[in-house]
Amino acid sequence: SGHRDHAYDISRDLLYITTNSGQILRYDMAARDFITPFNVGVSLNGIDLTKDGNFAYVAEGQAGATEGYIRKVNLNTGTHVNIAYTKAFGESGAYDVATAGSKVFFTTRYSGSGWTPMRVIDTSDDSMQEVRSRVRQNTNLSAAADGSKVFYTESNSSGGPAGIIDVPTLDILPTGFNTSLSSTQHAMSRNGQLIAIEFGGTSILDDQLNTVEILPAYSGGLAFNPVRDILYAAAAGTDELVALDTTTFNELYRMDAGGDIAGSTHFGAGPMTVSPDGRYVFLNTAEGVRVFEVNDVPEPACILTLLAGVAAFTQRRRQGSNLLAGSTT
């Protein structure tokens, strides 16, 4: 009840779920049960983890008179520190969070309808700076798994403003989709070369925002596998998880969700994430967070090497047999 966002901790095999009661629920994937939650705030929104798995950066949805907070949570102890930002005019609590390498990008809400800054935190010292002084409230963020790029879409505008942030330089490639992107779900591929976004149909864009492919109108969340060329899409109409090959965009398979996967009430349809090893897909729904065990992990390198060696040996045997068969000596 009251779930907002989620993030998976591969080192501890825990799923973290933020809630509107200020708790981070912790679900033990091995035991298939909840363990003691972390109490870190008032009303939490987006969450993402640092690459080393030691900390979570969490958007605090409740702001004070002059400041708002990002909660930095130590995942070893459950303790947290507050990283404060000075509120701009009309600005309220924090909304979405995306970790990209050593940086954490976050967006905020507005008391009414208006513009707020987009900010970034350097995790080495938790210093903060503005990436862009004006984006609309409730801007959604997606980061490439390699930390190279972040994609954003602004809400509450018929122009559909959006853009790609180059993480090392903080340069922005802006665009507009000429349609409202409020609560629109999107995802970046692991190297930032592809973007999947839902509006009308599901569009696939390259890193220059050119259209690569148009897919059916999946509505319920999108996520790229971080270790394989697979895009996952939630088909809310049929309550299925769809896996697509990102080189051909053909469907690889579908999985029955076993229940309703309509979007959650706070972040819209989705969000969806994939575990760093490609084993699990996690999807926010109105009922809770649904877990799909897809096991789309790469083949072990040692097996591939062995198979390659067997193939080479077999080829040599065949060549040798052919030579012997044609020999008169």
Side-chain angles (χ1 to χ4, degrees):
S1 178
H3 64 290
R4 294 286 176 78
D5 197 11
H6 62 265
Y8 175 67
D9 182 346
I10 191 170
S11 63
R12 299 171 183 83
D13 201 19
L14 296 177
L15 179 67
Y16 303 111
I17 305 171
T18 59
T19 67
N20 62 5
S21 62
Q23 288 188 325
I24 298 176
L25 305 181
R26 298 191 297 159
Y27 186 76
D28 188 319
M29 294 294 297
R32 295 292 193 266
D33 201 2
F34 286 98
I35 60 176
T36 305
F38 291 153
N39 294 291
V40 302
V42 180
S43 181
L44 306 179
N45 288 321
I47 181 174
D48 209 350
L49 311 185
T50 54
K51 191 172 183 178
D52 61 12
N54 288 324
F55 296 95
Y57 284 76
V58 187
E60 173 57 69
Q62 181 66 52
T66 61
E67 291 182 331
Y69 291 140
I70 296 295
R71 313 283 192 180
K72 180 182 178 180
V73 183
N74 185 318
L75 297 176
N76 294 306
T77 64
T79 58
H80 72 277
V81 296
N82 297 324
I83 303 174
Y85 59 91
T86 301
K87 289 166 51 182
F89 178 81
E91 190 174 23
S92 59
Y95 181 68
D96 203 7
V97 175
T99 300
S102 62
K103 296 177 180 178
V104 177
F105 294 79
F106 73 94
T107 59
T108 56
R109 311 191 75 180
Y110 190 92
S111 299
S113 177
W115 287 263
T116 64
M118 181 194 299
R119 301 176 177 89
V120 61
I121 299 169
D122 186 329
T123 59
S124 65
D125 57 6
D126 287 335
S127 59
M128 185 185 301
Q129 68 181 100
E130 286 188 5
V131 180
R132 192 164 189 172
S133 60
R134 284 168 61 87
V135 293
R136 286 163 181 83
Q137 82 277 6
N138 298 4
T139 289
N140 282 336
L141 303 170
S142 295
D146 67 1
S148 61
K149 297 180 180 68
V150 172
F151 180 67
Y152 69 89
T153 54
E154 301 182 34
S155 68
N156 198 34
S157 170
S158 60
I164 298 175
I165 305 168
D166 181 73
V167 172
T169 65
L170 300 184
D171 291 339
I172 295 176
L173 176 64
T175 191
F177 290 101
N178 298 316
T179 186
S180 175
L181 300 178
S182 297
S183 299
T184 295
Q185 292 300 310
H186 47 75
M188 292 199 89
S189 63
R190 61 181 182 268
N191 58 7
Q193 299 300 304
L194 293 176
I195 298 166
I197 180 169
E198 297 174 353
F199 59 93
T202 301
S203 293
I204 307 298
L205 313 175
D206 64 18
D207 60 354
Q208 298 302 306
L209 298 170
N210 301 306
T211 300
V212 174
E213 185 60 86
I214 301 294
L215 302 175
Y218 302 112
S219 57
L222 296 162
F224 285 92
N225 187 308
V227 291
R228 292 192 63 187
D229 294 332
I230 297 176
L231 169 67
Y232 302 101
T238 57
D239 291 324
E240 293 176 304
L241 179 74
V242 182
L244 302 107
D245 185 320
T246 61
T247 57
T248 64
F249 294 103
N250 294 326
E251 286 193 11
L252 298 171
Y253 59 83
R254 289 180 172 234
M255 291 180 67
D256 186 349
D260 185 13
I261 59 171
S264 62
T265 56
H266 187 73
F267 280 96
M272 180 191 292
T273 58
V274 186
S275 61
D277 59 359
R279 180 180 179 185
Y280 298 114
V281 174
F282 304 97
L283 173 66
N284 261 30
T285 75
E287 297 176 338
V289 181
R290 193 164 294 276
V291 181
F292 298 86
E293 189 165 5
V294 294
N295 279 320
D296 286 329
V297 298
E299 293 290 344
C302 59
I303 292 178
L304 292 177
T305 302
L306 176 61
L307 290 175
V310 170
F313 176 73
T314 302
Q315 183 64 25
R316 288 195 299 271
R317 283 286 301 272
R318 286 173 179 167
Q319 290 172 345
S321 297
N322 291 337
L323 288 171
L324 288 173
S327 174
T328 60
T329 58

